[in-house]
Amino acid sequence: MSFLCLLMLGISPVMSQTKTLKGRILDDNREPLIGVNVIIKGDTKGTVSDYNGRFEIEVPSETNILVFSYTGFETQEIPIDGQLTLNVYMKESSLALSEVTVTGFSGIKARSRRRLESIQEIPEAVIAFDDEQIEMTGVDDIGSFLTQVPGISYGESQDPGTVLINVRGIPQIRYGHSPIALVVDGVYLADANLNVQSLFDIEQIEVVKGSQGIFYGKNAIGGAVNITTKAITNDFKGNVKVGQGNGNSSVGNFAISGPLKKDKIYFRLAGNYFNTDGLIENTFLNEFTDFKTEQGVRGTLKFELNESTDLTLTGQRSYSRGGAITFISSNHNDDFTGIFETPLQPDIDGDINSPNNYSGSPRADYLGSGTIDTYFASINFEKNFRSFRLSSVTSFTDVDLFYDGDYFSYGPVPDGAQNMIRGSETFNQEFRLVSISNSKLQWNTGVFFQHINSPWITNQVNNNLSDPLVSEDFEYKNTTEVALTDDENKLTSFAPFAFLEYSITNELKVSAGARNEFEQIENTTKLAGSSNSRSYSVFQPKVSASYNVTKKVMIYGSYSGGFRSGGYNAAAIESGDNGGGIEKEIRHETSESIEAGLKSSFVSDRVIFNFAWFNTIYNDQQAYRFGYGNVDGDPSTGDDFGNESFLGTVNLKETKLTGFEIDVKLRPFKFLDIIGGYSAIDSEITEAGVIGGFDEKANNGNKTPFTLESSWNIGLLSRIPVSNNAKIRANLNFENKGKKYWFAENYLLPQENVFQDPYTLIHARLMVDFKNMTFGVWGRNLADTKYNIEWWPLSGFGLGDIRVPNQPRTYGFDIAYRF
């Protein structure tokens, strides 16, 4: 508290020569305009109008003119003349349809540093899609957005919640914490299972890459995804959308918003529905394995308590059911090709098949399925003071995941099945103070508290057959369920943070901040009758500097630290018997990153070119692998399971990540945008270290798993007016994913042989807009390109090599109506 007092005293002299100006911005029909840019003329400082068209800006006493700009409307320069309130009426642009004038890209703003800023002024690598780009590129979940961002690998495997994300070489850990922080309307969603959720009624989605611990805390070691839902309105508005696609898929969503009490109480209600029979067929059961049903609804109430105080209540419920354990095994598909001997372990019988073999089909005798059920609630309180904003965000999230599916053979052999229960109950509380003045000093400080309970239960279902290779009890009528894991985990963290940015001159800015995370984790392994706990703290600093070479060219550099939480492996491994080096404790990760970049725009903002170079030292990298050892059983009987294979996480001592990224936007013609990007990443495990008592120097020099050595994206977006009330919009998008390796270690084979070949995907969407309706047709993966989401070389263990196939070509149409 003393720090906050000193901070406030320090900035008060700066604020003494400013005044607060408030107002409202409306169109010709007296409808509020949301997101209008309000800038002090001759300066880059400013704000935007809110959901009600209102704005509030701190202006120096000598300021005479404000500039109001909004896409599709005429820019206005309005004298202040000592006013403290100002109503602005904006007129639509009168440019004729035949006009050849080509305007530049309007400045998209982002919230990557927990305040609204122009992307071109943020000294970070940020990519953002507004609501139109979200619609035109077909973004309907987090994955369909992230796959359009170079330097990020994304895939979904095994069950409704397992996601494989890699950001700048920092990978997702199976069943572990995500490498990116997920934030929706300012609320941090900690459970990595939520990275698969569908998106609906979204205003903007953005990703900021690089360690963001100062702004988001733990698990933002690779970056953060910020999602902003559609704003509440002061007039009744809504929309409905329905669609149909191949695989007998259907989709529907809606949103309605308006006042419950004009200018005081507002609401927004939105929902979505999706269903598909699937496209990937299990050729033994003659059923599709990738079936899916999703339902979701979100409601928001906003109370404008007075001109400076808002209270927002949000609740969301979502449910999803889909296929699980959709593995394709080489043991049950004759068209797999065995090309590798197992050179590291010649005593193992069996060849390893090519990791780039895309043949075969699922043939399990047990059709797997999984569900993920989520409840979310938040309370957001905001109060604006003269020079700063106080916010309190309280949230609770309940995530329950279940899946079951085939086990052992992954083929038409009714020997066994598996099921898993995992999830979390998360409580968050954050208090934050953010400067809202236009002074040279900007600041951000607060405290964050989090508590998480998360179970992890895994069962093996044995089909009790005298000879499973001969019997055909595919209905699993006589089974015995055996518990493999039954763990309860708790995580409690507390983090104070502060961040300052100071404009030394109009061209030079410097910033510094830090966050200190105090974390306690507890584990109860019920099968072994044991418990573990430990505490630690991690200091996450960030310093940066930016310099405007010209008004349109900025260079920057930064240093930042980040970390990802540790944990405990679920398998109850007997002491001293840690096959594969897998121990009970998973250490937390830390990173140190430096970044240098350039942000620039030319030709009246019709050309944007951004560049970023980064170098990261990544300590105690978490990597998952199969282990084999004696696993404790039920303590009530004293029995154990004997030697079992299990999946666990280990820590690699040090990894180095170096790369660069290019982000380009071009508007060569009035009706055409070309948006593209490129990324190249060099990853190296410089020291694997000693794991479970074994020196793993053989893995030194290997690459980090799921890291794309290169990737690029090119999107063509066109908007062509055909009349005053109609226009055509089209998007053609190319996504290239370069070479990536599946494992960190030499897993039966040298790592250099175990990789995914590069591939390119093509997506397209065509829409025709009328005054209140939009008709669209779309297609994803139009060339029906095949690749693997995941691959495991398990032939050496007699299980066959296992691969998870990608989603085939999908296509469909939709109709939207706005009212």
Side-chain angles (χ1 to χ4, degrees):
M1 184 59 69
S2 59
F3 169 76
L4 296 178
C5 292
L6 288 172
L7 181 62
M8 299 304 299
L9 288 173
I11 67 172
S12 58
V14 179
M15 294 304 305
S16 61
Q17 298 179 359
T18 66
K19 60 183 179 181
T20 302
L21 188 146
K22 301 178 181 180
R24 196 176 186 198
I25 306 172
L26 307 171
D27 63 13
D28 287 336
N29 298 317
R30 299 302 190 262
E31 293 284 339
L33 291 176
I34 305 169
V36 176
N37 292 309
V38 184
I39 298 175
I40 299 171
K41 186 173 182 179
D43 202 340
T44 60
K45 298 181 176 66
T47 185
V48 295
S49 58
D50 65 11
Y51 65 98
N52 203 20
R54 298 185 187 278
F55 71 94
E56 182 174 321
I57 186 170
E58 290 288 329
V59 296
S61 56
E62 66 273 13
T63 296
N64 292 319
I65 297 176
L66 290 181
V67 181
F68 297 81
S69 61
Y70 193 59
T71 303
F73 288 76
E74 296 178 356
T75 298
Q76 296 188 37
E77 296 186 3
I78 300 178
I80 297 175
D81 295 332
Q83 299 178 80
L84 296 179
T85 60
L86 183 65
N87 288 330
V88 179
Y89 300 95
M90 301 195 70
K91 297 181 179 180
E92 290 193 49
S93 175
S94 59
L95 287 175
L97 295 179
S98 60
E99 183 79 53
V100 295
T101 301
V102 183
T103 60
F105 290 94
S106 59
I108 293 182
K109 296 180 180 290
R111 295 172 174 81
S112 58
R113 298 198 298 176
R114 295 291 198 168
R115 67 176 191 263
L116 202 60
E117 303 173 275
S118 168
I119 284 181
Q120 291 303 104
E121 297 176 5
I122 300 174
E124 310 274 0
V126 183
I127 293 178
F129 286 12
D130 61 13
D131 58 341
E132 184 183 41
Q133 194 171 352
I134 288 171
E135 182 182 21
M136 292 183 67
T137 58
V139 171
D140 55 11
D141 56 26
I142 295 171
S144 58
F145 167 66
L146 291 179
T147 56
Q148 297 184 57
V149 180
I152 297 181
S153 172
Y154 180 96
E156 299 175 14
S157 178
Q158 182 172 317
D159 60 59
T162 296
V163 182
L164 307 171
I165 301 177
N166 184 296
V167 183
R168 285 188 172 180
I170 299 178
Q172 170 80 42
I173 306 306
R174 199 181 199 89
Y175 311 139
H177 302 289
S178 172
I180 56 174
L182 175 61
V183 179
V184 179
D185 290 335
V187 178
Y188 172 42
L189 302 181
D191 196 315
N193 294 309
L194 296 178
N195 287 333
V196 303
Q197 66 179 306
S198 293
L199 300 178
F200 58 96
D201 201 38
I202 302 300
E203 180 69 31
Q204 181 168 307
I205 181 170
E206 64 190 70
V207 60
V208 52
K209 290 181 280 188
S211 176
Q212 302 299 321
I214 175 64
F215 300 112
Y216 302 97
K218 62 178 181 294
N219 306 334
I221 192 169
V225 172
N226 263 313
I227 297 171
T228 304
T229 61
K230 291 277 191 179
I232 285 175
T233 61
N234 198 26
D235 294 280
F236 284 102
K237 294 182 178 180
N239 61 79
V240 178
K241 182 178 179 180
V242 295
Q244 195 76 26
N246 62 329
N248 195 30
S249 65
S250 57
V251 63
N253 55 56
F254 75 92
I256 185 170
S257 178
L260 294 177
K261 184 177 181 180
K262 198 75 171 179
D263 298 326
K264 290 294 182 181
I265 305 175
Y266 319 87
F267 80 95
R268 190 171 189 96
L269 183 67
N272 80 310
Y273 171 82
F274 174 77
N275 183 78
T276 181
D277 291 345
L279 295 168
I280 301 173
E281 185 179 7
N282 180 315
T283 55
F284 177 73
L285 297 176
N286 296 319
E287 295 187 63
F288 293 108
T289 63
D290 57 330
F291 60 92
K292 190 173 187 179
T293 298
E294 291 182 296
Q295 304 159 22
V297 62
R298 178 174 60 246
T300 302
L301 281 175
K302 187 157 190 173
F303 300 85
E304 193 170 294
L305 304 180
N306 54 51
E307 289 187 355
S308 63
T309 309
D310 291 335
L311 176 67
T312 305
L313 309 178
T314 301
Q316 179 170 321
R317 165 77 191 279
S318 59
Y319 175 84
S320 174
R321 179 180 182 273
I325 313 298
T326 58
F327 302 152
I328 298 176
S329 170
S330 63
N331 278 0
H332 305 286
N333 287 274
D334 295 336
D335 48 0
F336 267 72
T337 304
I339 62 169
F340 296 129
E341 296 291 335
T342 51
L344 297 188
Q345 301 189 36
D347 56 319
I348 292 179
D349 183 24
D351 294 341
I352 304 297
N353 295 277
S354 168
N356 291 292
N357 187 322
Y358 310 126
S359 57
S361 62
R363 290 182 52 78
D365 59 84
Y366 192 111
L367 185 66
S369 67
T371 61
I372 182 167
D373 199 356
T374 303
Y375 298 85
F376 164 78
S378 70
I379 304 172
N380 190 332
F381 174 84
E382 288 190 350
K383 183 173 180 62
N384 290 338
F385 294 88
R386 177 175 174 81
S387 59
F388 66 91
R389 176 183 297 113
L390 166 66
S391 69
S392 167
V393 180
T394 307
S395 66
F396 176 78
T397 308
D398 184 358
V399 180
D400 297 303
L401 182 145
F402 171 84
Y403 81 82
D404 63 359
D406 200 83
Y407 201 31
F408 302 127
S409 64
Y410 305 117
V413 181
D415 45 2
Q418 60 177 303
N419 61 62
M420 179 182 288
I421 297 171
R422 66 179 192 269
S424 64
E425 293 181 348
T426 304
F427 173 79
N428 293 338
Q429 176 62 60
E430 180 183 82
F431 295 102
R432 184 182 293 264
L433 297 175
V434 182
S435 62
I436 57 174
S437 71
N438 291 303
S439 69
K440 291 185 175 183
L441 180 66
Q442 300 290 316
W443 51 272
N444 181 329
T445 186
V447 293
F448 178 80
F449 172 83
Q450 182 178 80
H451 181 76
I452 303 175
N453 287 333
S454 54
W456 187 350
I457 301 170
T458 310
N459 296 302
Q460 173 180 310
V461 180
N462 297 319
N463 204 10
N464 299 319
L465 305 175
S466 57
D467 188 348
L469 298 179
V470 177
S471 302
E472 295 185 353
D473 180 15
F474 294 115
E475 296 183 3
Y476 288 77
K477 294 179 179 178
N478 182 21
T479 61
T480 302
E481 187 171 274
V482 180
L484 296 181
T485 67
D486 189 354
D487 282 33
E488 186 75 27
N489 297 285
K490 296 182 179 180
L491 183 150
T492 304
S493 63
F494 174 79
F497 55 87
F499 179 77
L500 302 171
E501 182 177 71
Y502 185 73
S503 299
I504 297 176
T505 67
N506 288 335
E507 294 79 25
L508 178 62
K509 294 180 182 179
V510 294
S511 64
R515 184 180 186 119
N516 202 58
E517 203 99 21
F518 300 91
E519 191 163 276
Q520 179 178 13
I521 52 178
E522 303 173 56
N523 166 266
T524 301
T525 304
K526 297 179 182 179
L527 295 183
S530 62
S531 61
N532 302 273
S533 67
R534 67 185 191 274
S535 301
Y536 50 82
S537 65
V538 181
F539 183 71
Q540 300 172 85
K542 189 177 189 75
V543 294
S544 67
S546 64
Y547 180 76
N548 285 86
V549 180
T550 69
K551 286 187 176 181
K552 299 293 185 178
V553 178
M554 180 186 80
I555 57 175
Y556 69 89
S558 68
Y559 165 84
S560 60
F563 98 100
R564 176 159 46 181
S565 297
Y568 292 94
N569 281 304
I573 309 162
E574 289 188 349
S575 177
D577 190 7
N578 50 355
I582 298 174
E583 299 176 310
K584 188 65 179 176
E585 181 177 313
I586 305 169
R587 297 191 301 277
H588 64 274
E589 301 173 334
T590 60
S591 69
E592 295 180 84
S593 301
I594 57 174
E595 180 174 330
L598 164 75
K599 294 197 172 183
S600 60
S601 61
F602 309 95
V603 195
S604 301
D605 295 333
R606 290 169 51 194
V607 178
I608 292 178
F609 178 86
N610 296 337
F611 173 86
W613 171 89
F614 64 89
N615 181 274
T616 300
I617 302 300
Y618 186 22
N619 300 305
D620 284 324
Q621 175 193 341
Q622 297 169 6
Y624 63 83
R625 62 172 58 166
F626 265 113
Y628 193 73
N630 200 28
V631 181
D632 288 341
D634 188 342
S636 64
T637 64
D639 297 330
D640 61 30
F641 299 128
N643 286 328
E644 290 280 340
S645 63
F646 53 86
L647 192 64
T649 300
V650 299
N651 292 95
L652 305 175
K653 187 174 181 180
E654 183 184 90
T655 301
K656 183 179 179 180
L657 307 166
T658 304
F660 69 88
E661 297 156 347
I662 296 172
D663 178 30
V664 177
K665 292 183 179 181
L666 305 174
R667 183 165 287 166
F669 312 108
K670 181 178 180 180
F671 305 123
L672 176 65
D673 293 346
I674 303 174
I675 298 176
Y678 179 82
S679 169
I681 304 173
D682 179 32
S683 65
E684 181 185 0
I685 299 172
T686 52
E687 185 177 0
V690 177
I691 300 176
F694 303 98
D695 189 346
E696 300 214 359
K697 60 183 179 182
N699 294 322
N700 292 350
N702 282 357
K703 307 293 186 180
T704 58
F706 295 93
T707 298
L708 297 172
E709 292 191 343
S710 66
S711 57
W712 54 262
N713 181 85
I714 297 177
L716 307 177
L717 292 88
S718 181
R719 308 163 187 85
I720 304 174
V722 293
S723 72
N724 288 332
N725 294 318
K727 63 182 175 181
I728 296 174
R729 292 183 291 162
N731 168 246
L732 181 62
N733 198 66
F734 301 86
E735 297 174 10
N736 176 269
K737 304 302 180 186
K739 186 177 182 180
K740 66 180 178 183
Y741 294 89
W742 294 118
F743 305 102
E745 71 268 28
N746 298 314
Y747 194 76
L748 298 184
L749 290 166
Q751 189 199 52
E752 63 186 21
N753 294 321
V754 187
F755 59 86
Q756 168 70 61
D757 276 337
Y759 60 89
T760 300
L761 303 178
I762 305 173
H763 315 303
R765 184 171 178 83
L766 176 67
M767 294 176 289
V768 180
D769 297 313
F770 297 97
K771 185 174 183 180
N772 294 318
M773 298 191 70
T774 297
F775 298 88
V777 293
W778 56 270
R780 296 189 62 81
N781 190 11
L782 290 176
D784 204 20
T785 300
K786 291 180 171 57
Y787 57 96
N788 288 326
I789 301 296
E790 200 169 16
W791 186 81
W792 295 87
L794 302 180
S795 287
F797 296 129
L799 299 177
D801 296 328
I802 304 298
R803 77 178 187 90
V804 178
N806 69 293
Q807 188 71 19
R809 174 173 49 230
T810 56
Y811 51 86
F813 71 92
D814 49 50
I815 303 172
Y817 176 71
R818 297 171 294 277
F819 57 90

